[in-house]
Amino acid sequence: MSLADAMTDLLGRVEALDAIETVATFDADRRVLAQDLVSALQVPPNDNSSMDGYAVRVADVTEPGKVLRVSQRIAAGHAGSPLEPGTCARIFTGAPMPAGADAVVMQEDTIEVGGDIHAVHIQAVPEAGQWVRRAGEDVTRGAVVLAQGERLSPASLGLAASLGLAHLPVRARPRVALFSTGDELVMPGEVPPEAMKPGAIYNSNRFFLRTLLQRMGCEVSDLGIVPDRREATLAALKSAAEHHDLILTSGGVSVGEEDHIKPSVQQLGSLDLWQIGMKPGKPFAYGTVRRESGKGAACHFIGLPGNPVSSFVTFLLLVRPFLLKLQGVSAAGLLALPPATLLPAHFTVARADKRREFLRVRRNAMGGLDLFPNQSSGVLTSAVWGDGLVDNPAGTTIAHGDPVSYISFADLLA
Ligand code: AMP
Ligand code: MG
C-alpha cells in the first residue's frame, strides 16, 4: 500500500477522544482546545496610546509650533478625565486616551516650555488617530478567538490569557502503552558497554519514542521490553489494551519466526494495515486489540519497525497525525505531511528505489541539501546529523541540482 493510501486509511480509523478536561492556561501548550473560545470583552479594552507623548485634540493643532498647556497626566493603568479643549495630556504607552483626545504626539516631536505653567510646543501637526491603539483592534467582543480543534501554541496561550482565561477546556491526553520487542535489547544503565554479550544492543527506540509521545501530549505507560515469545507478547498486548487508547510497539512486526507482533494482534483483534511502500518504514502495522472487559471500543494498535530510523520516520509521518486526530485536531493541514519546500539537491541518487523514499538530509549554506552518506535504516546518526527528509517518489533518480521536496524535522516535531 502506498504511504498516501495508508495515511488516508489510518486517519479514517481514528476518532477524537471524548474526554475533556480543564487545565491551567499555563499548562496548556500543545494541548487541543475542546471548545471555541468566545471573547467576553474587547482587546484592548479602551483606546490607548502606543507612544510616550501628549494626547491632543487634532483641531487644536492646526499648524506646527502650537503651545498647549499640560492639563493632566495619565500613566498606564490609570484613567484620565475628559481633555479640556485647548490643552493636552501627558500620556504614556498603554494609558487610556482621555475623552475628547483624538491623537497622540510623541514626546520626540515636542519641546517643553520653561517657566511656571507646564506647557509644550507641538512641533508636528498630528493626524487624527495617530499613535492611538483602537479599542477592540485585536479582539472584538463575541468573536471566536480560538476555535475548538486548535492545537495551542505559546502565542495562543497569550491570546487566551488576554481574554482573562486562567483555565482552558482541552481534550484529554491519549493514554499510550509503549513497549519494545527484541531479545537482543538491553537497557542503558543495566549492563556497561564492556560487559555486553555478543549480539546484544542497547534499546534506543524506547528513548525517542517515549520522548516523541510525551511531546505529542500523550500520557505514556512505558511497559519496557517484551521478549520475543508469543505468550509474553499476547499477555503484554492484552493487559495494555484495557486502560489505553493506543498500544505502540517497536520491532517484531516483520515476517521472521521471531516476529510475534503480527500474529498476536490478529489473534486478539484485527490487523488492518500492514506493510507500506516507503523506505525506511516498510514493516509498519495498524490494528486493534479487543478489551477483555468489553468496555468501550477496541484499543488502537500501531506496530513500528524495529530499525531505529524506520521507527523514527514512521512515527513522524504516520503516528504523529494519528495522535493529533485522536486529540481532536481539526486542521486538515496538520493531519497530513507538512508542506514540502523545493530545494536543490547537492547530491545524487543514481539508483532509483521501488519505494517512496525519505532521505536524511541537511540544508547547507548555499541553500541546497546535503545527503547523509549512509542511508541504512539502522543508522540513527543520519537522523541526528540531518535536519529533515527529502520525500523522493518511487522510481526517481536525483541528479545534482535537481529540485527535491524537503520536509524539515522542525515541522515534523512541532
Ligand atoms: P525487528 O523489526 O524486530 O526485526 O528489528 C529490526 C532491527 O531493529 C534489528 O536489527 C533489531 O535489533 C533492531 N531493533 C529492534 N528494536 C530496537 C530497539 N528498541 N532499539 C534499537 N534497535 C532495535
Ligand atoms: Mg526483533
Side-chain angles (χ1 to χ4, degrees), residues 42-65:
Q42 53 181 3
V43 181
N46 323 94
D47 288 357
N48 67 93
S49 175
S50 65
M51 281 287 167
D52 293 330
Y54 296 86
V56 299
R57 293 173 192 268
V58 168
D60 292 337
V61 191
T62 46
E63 59 198 39

Side-chain angles (χ1 to χ4, degrees), residues 46-399:
N46 323 94
D47 288 357
N48 67 93
S49 175
S50 65
M51 281 287 167
D52 293 330
Y54 296 86
V56 299
R57 293 173 192 268
V58 168
D60 292 337
V61 191
T62 46
E63 59 198 39
K66 282 267 177 187
V67 174
L68 296 180
R69 182 169 64 83
V70 182
S71 55
Q72 60 176 317
R73 184 178 187 278
I74 313 169
H78 302 272
S81 43
L83 185 64
E84 271 177 57
T87 75
C88 64
R90 178 69 171 128
I91 197 163
F92 299 92
T93 304
M97 292 290 284
D102 50 9
V104 170
V105 178
M106 64 164 121
Q107 82 191 32
E108 291 83 343
D109 289 337
T110 64
I111 300 172
E112 286 208 46
V113 177
D116 292 345
I117 43 158
H118 186 197
V120 286
H121 279 278
I122 306 290
Q123 304 293 100
V125 175
E127 272 175 42
Q130 165 183 301
W131 306 124
V132 178
R133 299 191 286 222
R134 288 281 167 219
E137 76 176 20
D138 188 354
V139 176
T140 52
R141 189 177 285 120
V144 175
V145 174
L146 293 164
Q148 77 146 311
E150 276 195 50
R151 194 156 176 247
L152 297 161
S153 67
S156 49
L157 298 188
L159 190 56
S162 76
L163 309 181
L165 299 170
H167 295 91
L168 297 174
V170 296
R171 296 280 184 165
R173 296 179 181 282
R175 299 161 306 165
V176 182
L178 173 66
F179 63 85
S180 324
T181 71
D183 287 348
E184 71 280 31
L185 300 178
V186 172
M187 281 304 288
E190 276 177 8
V191 180
E194 63 279 10
M196 289 283 275
K197 295 210 183 76
I201 57 165
Y202 289 117
N203 184 348
S204 48
N205 295 359
R206 185 175 178 182
F207 287 80
F208 62 74
L209 291 176
R210 193 204 289 194
T211 310
L212 286 167
L213 287 168
Q214 286 165 342
R215 279 200 186 190
M216 293 301 305
C218 300
E219 214 170 79
V220 184
S221 314
D222 189 335
L223 305 178
I225 299 166
V226 173
D228 288 324
R229 289 200 323 273
R230 183 65 55 86
E231 284 315 313
T233 308
L234 287 170
L237 289 170
K238 254 192 221 169
S239 82
E242 286 306 312
H243 302 290
H244 295 93
D245 303 305
L246 168 67
I247 301 171
L248 186 70
T249 66
S250 84
V253 76
S254 284
V255 289
E257 301 96 74
E258 298 292 348
D259 294 320
H260 297 287
I261 291 285
K262 184 179 170 240
S264 301
V265 172
Q266 281 168 321
Q267 183 177 330
L268 298 174
S270 66
L271 194 89
D272 305 302
L273 265 177
W274 187 58
Q275 300 211 322
I276 297 182
M278 64 184 286
K279 183 183 175 184
K282 180 174 156 202
F284 175 95
Y286 169 84
T288 54
V289 177
R290 279 188 304 273
R291 296 194 171 111
E292 288 213 319
S293 60
K295 267 193 246 127
C299 179
H300 294 288
F301 164 84
I302 292 179
L304 299 180
N307 275 307
V309 183
S310 311
S311 216
F312 184 70
V313 169
T314 48
F315 186 101
L316 296 183
L317 301 187
L318 290 155
V319 181
R320 182 176 180 278
F322 181 91
L323 290 171
L324 290 174
K325 184 142 186 228
L326 195 60
Q327 290 176 78
V329 164
S330 53
L334 279 178
L335 299 177
L337 294 188
T341 313
L342 285 182
L343 291 176
H346 289 181
F347 59 86
T348 59
V349 172
R351 213 158 39 91
D353 202 275
K354 288 196 298 287
R355 285 178 275 161
R356 179 170 173 182
E357 198 171 4
F358 291 90
L359 303 161
R360 274 75 66 210
V361 297
R362 175 157 105 180
R363 277 169 297 189
N364 62 34
M366 285 86 74
L369 296 170
D370 293 329
L371 181 73
F372 190 75
N374 187 341
Q375 293 285 322
S376 157
S377 58
V379 176
L380 199 51
T381 309
S382 68
V384 176
W385 180 93
D387 62 9
L389 300 169
V390 159
D391 179 358
N392 192 37
T396 311
T397 57
I398 298 174

